[in-house]
Amino acid sequence: MASRRGFLAGLLATGLAPAATWADAGAPRWLSAAGLPDGGFALCGIGEDMGLRFRIPLPGRGHAAAAHPERPEAVAFARRPGTFAIVIDCAAGRQTAQMAAPTGRHFYGHGAFSLDGRWLYTTENDFEAARGVIGIWDAQHGYKRTGEFASGGTGPHEIRRMPGSDVLVVANGGIETHPASGRAKLNIAIMQPNLSYIDSGKVTETAALPPEMHRGSIRHIAVSQIGEVAFGMQWQGDEDGPALVGLHRRGGAIRLCTAPDTHLRAMQGYIGSITFAAGQREVAVTSPRGGLVQMFDTGSAKYLRSDAMADACGVAACTGGLIVASGTGDLVRLGRDKAQVAHPGLMWDNHLVSL
């Protein structure tokens, strides 16, 4: 009997095949990069049951991925200061294109599609000018580079699209780096992190941290269904900073989330990933250094509780709670129906990308 994949290939030859969807890739719920036992790397699709739907090789260590809003296609990005991004047909299990950062640029590991899926936007470093830029790539024509615009700050890391629009929000971490210096941070004393909102290539609003928080590098962001932005920081001072998590709505001021000193110190100054929980009233943050998942209330901006998990980093909402990925290879569901699935040999990287 002919396989579904072979049947679809025949239809494609006649021009009668329906457009492929994420169901053709095994209906994954999340994407994550992972390290492999042989030293290689892969992009994996993860199902609702925390089982693998696919595993596709990457040429180097990945960081995060951007999922196309319609077709089963993902772009996996190199970890800073990498210059590759791989376009993957997740249904066919093959690479369809490779993007390379232009001369004088490198990727920061994140990207976001436009609402209609036509354009891909990538966070990049213009390292000679020490400025952040957002690259523009034509996803309809082989991911050709078509231009760039300013990110509104230095060290743009994660980028997200605001709900139902093409307005982008960018986490500008504020840290100057240069490939010639490896991963060294060159401007800690004068760094200026911010959130920038960008519409049609123009920064329309910037939300900056108060002066005493200038060492709180804003790296990762999540956006709620109503457009509230939650952000996680990585503290660059010798002593513990006063906060690691914040909230912002356009037109308003940043609200820093408070936590008892012992719980703040337990995160070791490092938030690895952030998400809104399914009910949108709580924000979850992870710290691989602290081995913790912490929850904050979005209404009061206060700490709620913690769960211990070794090397916890990738986090996303799931039915009834959260799913958390560990560098040990474990996937853990927290909440109403707790469960754990081990994937021996896989070392999950920083992020779980929801589909």
Side-chain angles (χ1 to χ4, degrees), residues 180-201:
S181 302
R183 292 178 63 82
K185 301 165 185 176
L186 306 176
N187 69 330
I188 297 302
I190 58 171
M191 55 183 284
Q192 295 181 312
N194 69 45
L195 293 175
S196 288
Y197 296 86
I198 301 174
D199 190 357
S200 302

Side-chain angles (χ1 to χ4, degrees), residues 61-87:
R61 182 177 174 181
H63 184 73
H68 194 277
E70 296 177 355
R71 56 183 183 260
E73 185 171 272
V75 182
F77 299 100
R79 178 177 184 252
R80 175 181 74 85
T83 58
F84 76 82
I86 304 300
V87 183

Side-chain angles (χ1 to χ4, degrees), residues 33 44 97 155 202 239 350:
C44 299
K202 303 294 184 183
E239 300 178 354
N350 292 60

Side-chain angles (χ1 to χ4, degrees), residues 106-185:
H106 68 70
F107 294 122
Y108 277 102
H110 289 271
F113 280 95
S114 61
L115 185 62
D116 62 4
R118 168 70 189 273
W119 306 102
L120 175 70
Y121 303 102
T122 54
T123 50
E124 302 174 12
N125 187 12
D126 175 2
F127 46 82
E128 298 299 347
R131 73 184 186 107
V133 297
I134 306 301
I136 310 170
W137 307 79
D138 187 343
Q140 191 167 309
H141 296 94
Y143 287 85
K144 180 182 177 181
R145 174 78 166 211
T146 63
E148 65 184 34
F149 49 82
S151 75
T154 303
H157 195 75
E158 190 157 14
I159 182 171
R160 296 271 187 159
R161 185 171 45 77
M162 299 297 285
S165 77
D166 276 317
V167 174
L168 302 169
V169 57
V170 179
N172 287 298
I175 298 176
E176 178 186 348
T177 61
H178 194 290
S181 302
R183 292 178 63 82
K185 301 165 185 176

